[in-house]
Amino acid sequence: MNTSSTVINFSYFQEQTVTKVNTDNTLPFSLGFSKGGLVAECPWRLKNKRSILLGQADWKSLHSAEQR
C-alpha cells in the first residue's frame, strides 16, 4: 500500500461555503462552493485524522460490468 502523500494547496477553498454536493452515483463526485467547485474524476477519499469517512474505489467508478 502506498502511504506517501502529495502536498496540494487547497487554500482557495478555505472559508468558502459548500453550496452543493452531487449525490448522483452515475456522475463523478463533485462539490459546489460559493466561488467555484471541485470535481473528482478518479478514485477519491474524504478522511479525518483517524479514518476514511467516505470514498469511491476505482473499480466502482467504471460504468459497465465489462469495464470492471
Side-chain angles (χ1 to χ4, degrees):
M1 176 182 215
N2 183 0
T3 58
S4 65
S5 62
T6 303
V7 177
I8 300 173
N9 184 349
F10 285 100
S11 62
Y12 173 79
F13 297 102
Q14 289 178 327
E15 299 186 23
Q16 289 194 49
T17 303
V18 175
T19 59
K20 184 176 181 180
V21 177
N22 173 28
T23 57
D24 183 345
N25 290 335
T26 64
L27 299 173
F29 177 72
S30 63
L31 294 171
F33 291 92
S34 51
K35 296 181 183 176
L38 177 71
V39 177
E41 295 184 2
C42 60
W44 54 272
R45 309 289 180 269
L46 295 178
K47 47 188 254 189
N48 62 18
K49 291 185 178 187
R50 290 181 284 177
S51 63
I52 296 172
L53 302 173
L54 186 64
Q56 181 172 334
D58 54 352
W59 66 270
K60 286 187 177 181
S61 65
L62 299 174
H63 296 290
S64 72
E66 185 176 290
Q67 289 175 314
R68 293 183 196 139

